[in-house]
């Protein structure tokens, strides 16, 4: 799989380490009253969709940036990639 | 129809005209006491034990494709009980014992072959870890032997002992482990279940659940609504999708694992060898092909095929261990979708929906579990109490802080 890195262009996915669902960018508030339940969901539970999935890839063998990659889990087709810090700013993750 | 040596000789002499299909192909009834979703190894074994050991009736298995078309028909067929923790080792040893009596029990040749599994040791730390594991296995009633380098040399003199990075220093051997014929296991359980009156319904996809006041009443399928007292879900790589239909999110991600077969070669490996440091495992089929695999591809997938990078990585692992295969051709490769749980351990439990039971999270290791999984799931569904060996495999263990973390890697499905 080739990942279209927004700064570096197409890079082989084997340069990256995979973390999982991009929802992991939304870390719950550890001080909230329901923090234990929220953290259980955050750490363990997954939507696990068959189809479009937004997910985190770390460019470990490259510029060490975190990307949010949009990929189809049924076909492995990659539909786009953005820097995780931009995705976070947009609040979309 | 019972199989026997006499029967085989008789058929051989009369042109093999007497063999019959080994299960019926019934249409679904409007209602059952038990519905098992998923006609893979675990679903078929569950139905078999529900009918034969727990004497329940009115049972159906619903399979969206054909029986055995999922991971049971795609795996590298290794059976073993070399686990370590109190939450899982007794379960896998229970499974090993069931394997040992399986063919006599269901009168079907599943080619269970106790050819032994050897986990190679490359460092002093790894030797300590395997010694500890071997002791844990012995405590749980399994067998384990620690071999030094000479012991390994006597078994497989052609291994690459002097690999600069991963020299072979010994191995942990479980002689009772081995392989079984994957399709044979599915067919044997299917036949046994059918003989006991279970309806095995193929091309019947479950598309929804009927749930009233927190209790399951039946399932929606591509062949209409079917009512049921109790519904057990055993759909391996589809666990996330199917339980999503019942409104549940699981501690599971679906990942792809590839397997490979070489061209047929002369007999060279009589057991199973694993090279943990390089992530490679290999055995040889009765037809001579080397059957091997390595890491999962490591990202969510439902594609039933993997990518080149892992093929290369697995081939490198193979070359590091047995350089002599360098000129052997790779004949086939394929991928299967597995339900990777967050601690790498399965789930056999009730769910928050009454009458709905879950058997999931088998990761890349559920083939060896097929008999115990079926037995324990049937026990749970018939008696509403967990089987003794599966009582730690709870769905809420992550929430309560009791994961069964065999690999000591915490909450990550990217195991292996
Ligand atoms: C390449 C590979 C190698 C492996 N090697 C080993 C090994 O050496 N040793 C080992 O112990 N384990 C191994 N495994 C793991 C093992 O194969 C699985 O853990 C195990 O087979 C899963 O249980 P099962 O047999 O019931 O699954 P499956 O055979 O996948 O059964 C699930 C069934 O559910 C059906 N289904 C799904 N959704 C629906 C629906 N909505 N309605 C109706 N039916 C549905 C599917 O069609 C499928 O037939 C390997 C796996 C792979 C992919």
């Amino acid at each position: 799989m080739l990942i279209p890195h927004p700064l570096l262009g197409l890079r082989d996915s084997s340069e990256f380490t995979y973390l999982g669902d991009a929802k992991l960018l939304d870390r719950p508030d550890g001080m909230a009253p329901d923090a234990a339940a929220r953290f259980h969901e955050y750490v363990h539970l997954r939507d696990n969709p068959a189809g479009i999935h937004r997910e985190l890839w770390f460019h470990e063998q490259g510029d060490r940036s975190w990307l949010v990659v949009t990929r189809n889990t049924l076909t492995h087709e990659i539909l786009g990639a953005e820097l995780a810090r931009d995705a976070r700013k947009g609040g979309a993750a | 129809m019972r199989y026997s040596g006499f029967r085989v000789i008789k058929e051989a002499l009369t042109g093999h005209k007497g063999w019959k299909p080994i299960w019926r192909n019934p249409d679904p009834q409007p209602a059952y006491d038990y519905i098992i979703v998923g006609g893979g190894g675990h679903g078929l074994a569950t139905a078999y034990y529900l009918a034969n050991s727990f004497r329940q009736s009115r049972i159906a298995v619903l399979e969206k494709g054909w029986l055995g078309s999922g991971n049971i028909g795609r795996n590298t067929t290794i059976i073993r009980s070399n686990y370590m923790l109190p939450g899982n080792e007794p379960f896998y040893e229970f499974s090993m014992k069931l394997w040992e009596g399986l063919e006599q029990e269901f009168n079907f040749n599943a080619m269970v072959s106790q050819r032994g599994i050897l986990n190679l040791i490359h460092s002093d730390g790894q030797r300590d870890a395997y010694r500890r594991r071997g002791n844990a296995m012995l405590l749980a009633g399994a067998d384990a032997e620690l071999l030094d380098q000479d012991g390994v040399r006597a078994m497989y003199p052609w291994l690459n002992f002097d690999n600069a990075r991963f020299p072979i220093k010994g191995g942990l051997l479980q002689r009772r482990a081995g392989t079984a014929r994957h399709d044979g296991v599915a067919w044997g359980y299917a036949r046994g279940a059918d003989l006991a009156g279970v309806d095995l319904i193929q091309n019947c996809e479950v598309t929804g659940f009927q749930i009233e006041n927190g209790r399951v009443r039946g399932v929606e399928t591509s062949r209409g609504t079917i009512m049921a007292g109790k519904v057990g879900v055993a759909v391996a790589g589809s666990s996330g999708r199917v339980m999503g239909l019942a409104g549940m999110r699981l501690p599971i991600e679906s990942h792809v694992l590839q397997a490979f077969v070489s061209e047929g070669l002369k007999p060279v490996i009589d057991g199973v060898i694993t090279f943990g440091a390089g992530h490679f495992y290999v055995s040889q089929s009765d037809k001579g092909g080397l059957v091997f695999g390595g890491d999962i591809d490591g990202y969510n997938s439902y594609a039933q095929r993997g990518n080149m990078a892992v093929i290369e990585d697995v081939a490198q692992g193979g070359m590091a261990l047995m350089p002599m295969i360098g000129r052997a051709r790779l004949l086939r490769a394929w991928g299967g979708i597995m339900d990777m749980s967050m601690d790498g351990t399965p789930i056999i439990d009730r769910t928050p929906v009454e009458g709905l039971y879950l058997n999931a999270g088998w990761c890349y290791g559920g083939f060896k579990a097929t008999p115990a999984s079926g037995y324990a799931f049937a026990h749970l569904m018939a008696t509403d109490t967990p089987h003794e060996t599966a009582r730690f495999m709870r769905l809420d263990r992550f929430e309560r802080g009791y994961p069964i973390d065999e690999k000591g890697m915490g909450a990550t499905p990217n195991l292996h």
Side-chain angles (χ1 to χ4, degrees):
Chain A
M1 291 191 299
L2 294 174
I3 294 181
H5 193 298
L7 306 176
L8 304 173
L10 284 180
R11 309 301 305 184
D12 195 289
S13 62
S14 59
E15 292 175 10
F16 292 77
T17 303
Y18 178 78
L19 185 64
D21 196 325
K23 284 184 185 151
L24 292 172
L25 287 172
D26 280 337
R27 193 180 162 86
D29 173 6
M31 291 297 129
D34 60 349
R38 296 275 308 279
F39 265 97
H40 162 59
E41 280 183 29
Y42 176 78
V43 175
H44 298 118
L45 303 186
R46 296 288 184 270
D47 286 344
N48 198 22
I52 304 297
H53 192 221
R54 281 165 53 80
E55 53 202 23
L56 291 165
W57 291 76
F58 176 47
H59 199 192
E60 188 169 17
Q61 320 248 334
D63 70 342
R64 304 186 72 77
S65 60
W66 280 97
L67 302 187
V68 173
V69 174
T70 306
R71 192 175 59 92
N72 188 332
T73 60
L74 283 162
T75 61
H76 295 171
E77 185 190 1
I78 294 186
L79 304 162
E82 55 186 326
L83 291 174
R85 61 162 186 262
D86 295 345
R88 224 179 126 71
K89 251 185 240 150
Chain B
M1 179 179 68
R2 281 194 68 79
Y3 295 103
S4 64
F6 172 74
R7 183 72 203 255
V8 170
I9 293 166
K10 182 172 165 231
E11 289 297 333
L13 295 175
T14 54
H16 292 288
K17 296 206 182 75
W19 303 121
K20 298 268 174 342
I22 60 173
W23 55 79
R24 300 164 293 133
N25 207 6
D27 288 323
Q29 301 285 321
Y32 290 93
D33 292 335
Y34 293 91
I35 282 180
I36 311 296
V37 186
H42 294 208
L44 292 167
T46 305
Y48 173 88
Y49 290 115
L50 262 179
N52 287 292
S53 301
F54 295 93
R55 303 268 158 219
Q56 304 298 309
S57 56
R58 299 217 314 152
I59 305 165
V61 175
L62 310 182
E63 164 57 46
K64 76 170 176 203
W66 66 91
L67 298 182
S69 57
N71 284 343
I72 184 86
R74 281 167 201 274
N75 68 80
T76 42
T77 75
I78 301 167
I79 60 176
R80 56 186 172 91
S81 63
N82 53 1
Y83 285 70
M84 190 172 66
L85 302 177
N88 58 16
E89 172 60 10
F91 172 83
Y92 288 104
E93 178 53 22
F94 173 51
S95 208
M96 206 58 235
K97 296 217 166 73
L98 289 173
W99 282 116
E100 287 173 326
L102 188 66
E103 293 162 316
Q104 294 302 322
E105 181 180 332
F106 65 23
N107 177 236
F108 197 85
N109 184 5
M111 292 167 68
V112 175
S113 165
Q114 293 180 289
R115 49 182 70 193
I117 188 168
L118 178 68
N119 308 125
L120 296 174
I121 294 170
H122 309 281
S123 66
D124 294 343
Q126 212 177 8
R127 183 184 298 110
D128 291 348
Y130 275 143
R131 176 172 286 141
R132 177 178 172 216
R133 177 175 296 260
N135 284 335
M137 290 162 65
L138 294 174
L139 285 172
D143 62 309
E145 287 166 49
L146 201 65
L147 302 186
D148 59 10
Q149 197 196 55
D150 289 343
V152 176
R153 260 188 216 276
M155 291 180 78
Y156 301 114
W158 42 261
L159 283 171
N160 187 5
F161 285 87
D162 303 321
N163 183 313
R165 208 163 150 215
F166 299 117
I168 295 170
K169 298 191 162 193
L172 180 68
L173 178 66
Q174 183 180 25
R175 290 191 195 271
R176 285 165 61 245
T179 57
R181 172 73 205 272
H182 41 8
D183 294 326
V185 176
W187 299 336
Y189 275 121
R191 169 175 170 270
D194 178 85
L195 284 173
V198 173
D199 281 359
L200 305 175
I201 299 166
Q202 309 185 65
N203 298 311
C204 181
E205 178 170 3
V206 169
T207 54
F209 293 90
Q210 289 216 349
I211 297 169
E212 271 170 35
N213 301 324
R215 185 168 218 308
V216 73
R217 298 276 172 216
V219 292
E220 308 290 348
T221 79
S222 54
R223 296 176 69 174
T225 305
I226 309 176
M227 306 307 281
K230 292 180 174 180
V231 178
V233 175
V235 294
S238 303
S239 300
R241 274 197 279 188
V242 172
M243 295 313 282
L245 299 172
M248 287 176 59
R249 283 176 94 212
L250 298 182
I252 280 174
E253 284 181 5
S254 294
H255 286 242
V256 62
L257 177 67
Q258 304 190 62
F260 309 89
V261 179
S262 78
E263 60 187 320
L265 303 169
K266 287 184 179 173
V268 56
I269 305 177
D270 58 1
V272 182
I273 305 174
T274 79
F275 172 37
H279 288 185
F280 177 81
Y281 56 92
V282 61
S283 64
Q284 190 166 17
S285 81
D286 295 355
K287 286 187 275 185
L290 298 180
V291 180
F292 55 96
D295 273 322
I296 61 173
D297 276 33
Y299 43 81
N300 292 43
S301 174
Y302 286 95
Q304 295 213 332
R305 63 172 178 79
N307 267 310
M308 277 305 285
V310 170
I311 300 181
E312 206 181 326
D313 184 61
V314 171
Q316 283 168 353
M319 283 298 290
L321 194 66
M322 37 197 303
M324 66 182 183
I325 60 170
R327 300 185 65 184
R329 267 171 257 246
L330 195 63
L331 211 60
R332 292 184 285 136
W334 65 88
I337 302 305
M338 305 157 315
D339 43 349
M340 300 299 296
S341 68
M342 289 292 158
D343 58 358
T345 301
I347 295 156
I348 301 178
D349 203 358
R350 306 156 71 145
T351 70
V353 178
E354 212 185 316
L356 181 62
Y357 302 80
L358 178 64
N359 175 308
W362 292 98
C363 303
Y364 42 75
F367 178 65
K368 69 179 77 68
T370 307
S373 164
Y375 194 93
F377 201 38
H379 186 288
L380 176 72
M381 289 185 69
T383 67
D384 270 310
T385 50
H387 185 258
E388 187 196 354
T389 61
R391 64 188 193 280
F392 297 102
M393 297 177 179
R394 299 285 304 275
L395 176 58
D396 65 358
R397 63 177 183 263
F398 303 94
E399 198 170 352
R400 292 179 304 119
Y402 290 97
I404 306 171
D405 190 5
E406 176 87 6
K407 295 243 169 174
M409 287 167 74
T412 162
N414 306 321
L415 296 160
H416 205 186

